[in-house]
Amino acid sequence: MEHIEISVLSNLERSSLLARTARVPINMQAIFSDTTSGYVFPQEPARGEDVRIRLRTARGNVDSVRMVFEGGEYIDENLRSHAYFTLSVEHSTDLFDYYSVTIPKLIGRISYAFQIMKDGRAYYYNRRGLRPNVDKDYNFVVIAGFKTPDWAKGAVMYQIYVDRFRNGDAGNDVVDGEYEYLGLKATRFANWGQLPQNMDVCNFAGGDLQGVIDKMGYLEELGVEAIYFTPIFVSPSNHKYDIQDYDYVDPHFGVIVEDGKPGDNLYAKRTTDRANLEASNALMIKLIDTARKHGIRVILDGVFNHCGAFNKWIDSERLYSDLPDYEVGAFVSRESPYHNYFRWHNSTSGWPGNESYDGWWGHKNHPKLNFEGSRELYDYIMEIGRKWVSAPLGIDGWRMDVAADLGYSLDFNHKFWKDFRKRMKDANPEAIILAEHYGDPGRWLQGDEWDTVMNYDAFMDPVTWFLTGMQKHSDEFRSDMLNNAQAFEETMCREISRFTAGSLQCAMNQLSNHDHSRFLTRTNMTVGRLHTHGSEAAGIGINKAIMLEAVVIQMTWPGAPTIYYGDEAGLVGWTDPDNRRTYPWGKEDRLLLDFHKDMSRIRREHATFRTGSLMFLHGEFGVLAYARWDDEKVFVIIVNNNFTDKTLCIPVWRAEIAPSADMYSVIKASKGGYSVTPALYRVAGGHLEFEAKPFSAEVLMYRRPC
């Protein structure tokens, strides 16, 4: 271009020149990609399959797009020297260009970001958004050959703590004084509504598998698609994380056909008699068959890091010593065939009654299993896993307790879960492997170990902090986290980056569970526990409208929304053991129950919530607005956790809603209750003007033109 002296030009000529040479800035808000099927196809490619990857930009706004990646060794050998792929415009709309590229024959894991060129300047886009440099911790990840069960993607799950759900068979109830455990005598609740005590481990309400069978219709009506049971195997506690026999359902949950006679050890008779054990497993098969008829899957709790001190392998109570069908326990004799199942600090003397074995976190009632020291133990637990996911039992997967703790080294832990996955998937390819884990799960989510996790870091924690300012045990209140939309978005962005799309869509999204305070109690924003505040205080000062907001987020967020039994009925409770109150049959909070039913129905009716994209649209103090969308529909979810109305202007064009469009309310909730009556909202200029009521949540839908 020839040199032009600006100073000699007239104002009109100067304005004309500037208009011709002005650079349009990059439209950051238009740029989007993720790893759902709208932007990665297929979303979960098989090994050796071609993968098409997309990026969206504003129309005509950028000069070029490249995909920069790590993991070139997993790409077709003719392309392994490449550090990037160039994308081309696949198609355009009035607002957007969609760039794409096909990665041929992917055989493993790639981690990638997009390099976007604009006016000679490079920008990089990954889950963290548009940045001048790449932060690889936030890169998109696709792993060929990593397939998670389709049925679990977005499924509505329901966690049942069996002893406290429903008593369907009084004949299997624990008898007062039946046995002693941890210095406590086993006790049956005086009535179903009795509240948990501080030391509650040996107190039994009488809930059982027959009670679940009896209420399967209720679960179907609630919209449940999968049940997650806390442990059901033979064990002396009501929580049963101290397993006595992995092969059988506890007859106190199952069936007692052969009971003790005067002078018998009643507990030993009930829990070791083969007739009781086989009948209890048969009842479990009946439960699974009944669940199938109601469209419900079944997941069991696998406690493989440790067993219980009553376990037949160690037999601290000598329940099995005199029985002909059992070997001597390792606590009783050094010559026990199970000696190497445990690690001993004094392995030469101390028998009978050697207490020098390792316990999980030092707990002697939780002997840690020594897989490194016993191939027989290793093979036995592998077979237990395979047995329960296979016919005739045929469960649909495992939730694995303290999964990262298993073994004595991280290397061995990974070896175990690799072998476990292969064994389970060979037996039942659709069985889910879901781990209890706190912190970054990424190293276990590489396609050859876990499918997914209980989603503390990318769901329960950020939702709890934002809506209540409370830590999930009700042990701390932080005013700086309450209503902090920026912290919520940044946390979600960071933690979601640790998942593939399939793993995230299967992740167990809970508001409450058996290890933490009930979410409804957290809404009182009171720091406390049962032993400091008492049972009554757990229900004082609660805000039901915040619970409704939380359920809206839970049912519209990527993952598998998992209701902890009784949350839908208004149960409150401090952390363990108060969170394990009995289900209030006949005394349910009808508003909360009906709301859960409607929200789960809405989720099940719209596949968008199972597998669609997620985008944050707006955030300010106490306010969140985000979108979920796919090729057919767009949903905008708006939450106002403030005491006052909020007037919002939400840029819904970013979620591919037409500049002028009609949207309809699917459900709205606030302090006064909720409504499913449709309401019309008009989009103008790509923005939605919205008045958000105090403590409210609303779900709006836009149906794309055919």
Side-chain angles (χ1 to χ4, degrees):
M1 177 183 287
E2 63 177 314
H3 176 74
I4 299 175
E5 181 58 52
I6 297 291
S7 61
V8 302
L9 298 178
S10 68
N11 289 337
L12 181 60
E13 291 170 324
R14 187 179 299 136
S15 298
S16 177
L17 177 63
L18 290 174
R20 293 198 307 271
T21 60
R23 293 176 176 177
V24 177
I26 191 166
N27 189 335
M28 299 173 62
Q29 292 196 326
I31 298 170
F32 183 79
S33 187
D34 63 12
T35 53
T36 66
S37 58
Y39 291 86
V40 174
F41 184 82
Q43 179 182 282
E44 294 180 315
R47 287 178 61 84
E49 191 170 8
D50 293 354
V51 183
R52 194 158 188 80
I53 294 177
R54 291 191 179 106
L55 173 78
R56 189 194 78 185
T57 70
R59 181 164 183 167
N61 185 240
V62 307
D63 299 328
S64 64
V65 178
R66 299 197 301 190
M67 191 186 89
V68 294
F69 62 89
E70 293 182 330
E73 66 271 25
Y74 298 118
I75 294 173
D76 179 80
E77 60 183 1
N78 296 319
L79 298 167
R80 288 181 184 176
S81 62
H82 289 218
Y84 62 85
F85 289 105
T86 299
L87 283 72
S88 58
V89 176
E90 177 187 275
H91 70 279
S92 299
T93 65
D94 291 343
L95 292 178
F96 303 109
D97 287 330
Y98 294 84
Y99 286 80
S100 70
V101 66
T102 297
I103 311 300
K105 299 179 182 178
L106 185 64
I107 59 172
R109 178 186 190 274
I110 57 168
S111 162
Y112 63 93
F114 297 98
Q115 182 194 69
I116 302 170
M117 298 300 297
K118 171 71 173 174
D119 297 331
R121 182 177 178 182
Y123 303 84
Y124 295 88
Y125 180 83
N126 57 16
R127 288 196 181 276
R128 200 171 186 185
L130 198 67
R131 303 279 170 167
N133 299 293
V134 176
D135 184 342
K136 294 178 182 178
D137 283 345
Y138 291 81
N139 274 4
F140 302 108
V141 173
V142 175
I143 305 174
F146 186 7
K147 181 73 174 70
T148 57
D150 287 337
W151 66 263
K153 293 180 174 71
V156 177
M157 299 186 182
Y158 191 84
Q159 180 184 352
I160 294 180
Y161 191 92
V162 180
D163 183 61
R164 306 296 162 84
F165 183 65
R166 187 175 187 274
N167 189 342
D169 178 7
N172 60 21
D173 289 359
V174 168
V175 175
D176 284 349
E178 182 176 323
Y179 60 97
E180 189 172 299
Y181 181 53
L182 298 177
L184 304 168
K185 288 191 180 296
T187 305
R188 187 183 182 280
F189 276 18
N191 58 73
W192 179 251
Q194 181 176 317
L195 295 173
Q197 301 174 18
N198 286 320
M199 279 299 291
D200 193 58
V201 68
C202 271
N203 297 328
F204 293 87
D208 49 34
L209 297 186
Q210 186 59 52
V212 179
I213 293 171
D214 293 344
K215 289 297 182 180
M216 205 66 75
Y218 163 79
L219 297 177
E220 181 181 14
E221 185 182 349
L222 184 59
V224 172
E225 296 166 287
I227 298 170
Y228 152 47
F229 285 104
T230 52
I232 62 169
F233 302 109
V234 183
S235 39
S237 64
N238 58 48
H239 58 68
K240 303 202 177 300
Y241 283 96
D242 41 8
I243 290 174
Q244 182 175 322
D245 189 338
Y246 288 93
D247 281 293
Y248 294 104
V249 170
D250 193 315
H252 295 96
F253 282 178
V255 182
I256 296 175
V257 293
E258 295 291 338
D259 216 345
K261 300 179 180 63
D264 287 348
N265 181 329
L266 183 60
Y267 179 79
K269 176 65 176 176
R270 287 179 157 194
T271 61
T272 66
D273 188 281
R274 295 290 184 185
N276 293 339
L277 298 172
E278 295 294 346
S280 296
N281 277 14
L283 184 65
M284 186 67 204
I285 293 172
K286 178 183 177 182
L287 184 150
I288 294 168
D289 290 343
T290 304
R292 291 277 192 280
K293 293 173 183 176
H294 288 268
I296 297 173
R297 307 264 184 163
V298 174
I299 300 168
L300 295 188
D301 210 318
V303 189
F304 303 137
N305 167 71
H306 56 271
C307 64
F310 279 38
N311 190 282
K312 61 187 178 184
W313 299 330
I314 196 162
D315 197 18
S316 68
E317 297 301 307
R318 306 192 184 194
L319 300 171
Y320 299 91
S321 295
D322 298 325
L323 299 177
D325 296 336
Y326 296 92
E327 300 280 1
V328 64
F331 182 83
V332 180
S333 171
R334 190 186 185 285
E335 306 309 314
S336 168
Y338 309 123
H339 177 83
N340 290 336
Y341 284 27
F342 308 96
R343 182 172 287 188
W344 305 88
H345 298 286
N346 180 358
S347 61
T348 59
S349 63
W351 282 273
N354 192 338
E355 295 184 344
S356 71
Y357 55 85
D358 271 356
W360 177 64
W361 284 48
H363 297 295
K364 291 300 181 183
N365 62 316
H366 291 326
K368 186 169 174 63
L369 293 173
N370 181 27
F371 290 101
E372 290 95 327
S374 173
R375 184 69 200 190
E376 293 80 10
L377 171 64
Y378 195 88
D379 291 342
Y380 193 101
I381 291 297
M382 290 290 166
E383 177 57 20
I384 287 294
R386 185 208 64 80
K387 165 186 170 179
W388 283 91
V389 301
S390 305
L393 295 159
I395 66 168
D396 297 288
W398 291 100
R399 176 270 190 188
M400 301 168 305
D401 187 58
V402 295
D405 289 1
L406 186 141
Y408 282 93
S409 72
L410 186 57
D411 286 345
F412 182 85
N413 181 276
H414 286 298
K415 170 183 165 45
F416 180 94
W417 293 122
K418 284 177 170 64
D419 290 349
F420 188 84
R421 181 183 185 85
K422 186 175 188 308
R423 188 74 68 92
M424 297 312 105
K425 297 294 184 176
D426 285 348
N428 182 351
E430 287 298 295
I432 192 168
I433 301 172
L434 191 158
E436 178 194 26
H437 185 70
Y438 299 84
D440 186 351
R443 66 182 70 180
W444 289 274
L445 298 179
Q446 298 303 309
D448 55 357
E449 298 184 52
W450 308 340
D451 282 317
T452 190
V453 296
M454 299 180 77
N455 200 5
Y456 291 113
D457 294 79
F459 187 77
M460 183 188 282
D461 283 353
V463 171
T464 294
W465 285 121
F466 176 76
L467 291 178
T468 71
M470 296 296 295
Q471 185 263 358
K472 58 182 172 285
H473 284 288
S474 291
D475 282 345
E476 180 184 11
F477 172 77
R478 288 184 55 180
S479 60
D480 63 315
M481 295 297 287
L482 175 63
N483 286 339
N484 189 331
Q486 180 179 353
F488 179 88
E489 181 175 349
E490 289 176 353
T491 300
M492 285 295 194
C493 176
R494 180 180 67 250
E495 301 303 333
I496 284 174
S497 302
R498 281 45 177 167
F499 294 81
T500 63
S503 283
L504 182 66
Q505 289 162 357
C506 295
M508 187 180 280
N509 290 347
Q510 295 189 292
L511 297 170
S512 316
N513 63 28
H514 64 292
D515 284 328
H516 305 94
S517 58
R518 293 271 181 178
F519 186 87
L520 190 54
T521 286
R522 277 175 246 152
T523 68
N524 66 13
M525 304 181 193
T526 300
V527 173
R529 291 203 175 201
L530 179 61
H531 69 278
T532 62
H533 283 57
S535 300
E536 184 180 353
I540 295 175
I542 59 173
N543 187 333
K544 216 182 299 185
I546 295 178
M547 183 75 182
L548 299 181
E549 294 176 68
V551 174
V552 168
I553 296 174
Q554 182 185 39
M555 291 291 175
T556 59
W557 202 258
T562 304
I563 303 166
Y564 183 41
Y565 83 99
D567 265 12
E568 78 278 20
L571 276 189
V572 296
W574 303 110
T575 199
D576 169 20
D578 197 39
N579 52 21
R580 303 169 182 180
R581 302 187 186 195
T582 53
Y583 186 100
W585 297 109
K587 300 177 182 178
E588 299 92 339
D589 183 303
R590 293 305 310 183
L591 171 66
L592 288 177
L593 182 55
D594 291 343
F595 188 70
H596 275 84
K597 289 179 180 179
D598 277 319
M599 281 304 310
S600 66
R601 172 187 56 77
I602 289 166
R603 182 179 184 86
R604 287 179 289 109
E605 286 176 351
H606 303 290
T608 313
F609 294 124
R610 294 182 184 271
T611 56
S613 294
L614 166 73
M615 175 186 278
F616 287 97
L617 297 176
H618 180 80
E620 59 182 76
F621 185 82
V623 174
L624 295 174
Y626 57 92
R628 300 292 312 280
W629 82 86
D630 58 19
D631 290 340
E632 295 184 358
K633 300 166 190 169
V634 183
F635 292 88
V636 174
I637 299 90
I638 304 163
V639 176
N640 177 19
N641 197 47
N642 291 289
F643 283 94
T644 58
D645 291 354
K646 288 290 179 178
T647 301
L648 308 174
C649 182
I650 302 170
V652 296
W653 67 269
R654 297 183 61 215
E656 304 181 0
I657 293 174
S660 297
D662 291 343
M663 299 188 72
Y664 294 89
S665 173
V666 175
I667 194 168
K668 62 179 72 175
S670 63
K671 294 176 69 175
Y674 79 98
S675 171
V676 293
T677 303
L680 174 65
Y681 293 87
R682 292 276 167 80
V683 176
H687 289 74
L688 175 66
E689 300 288 339
F690 188 86
E691 294 290 330
K693 300 291 186 184
F695 294 110
S696 68
E698 191 158 355
V699 181
L700 282 66
M701 182 178 71
Y702 167 74
R703 195 179 297 273
R704 295 181 187 273
C706 296

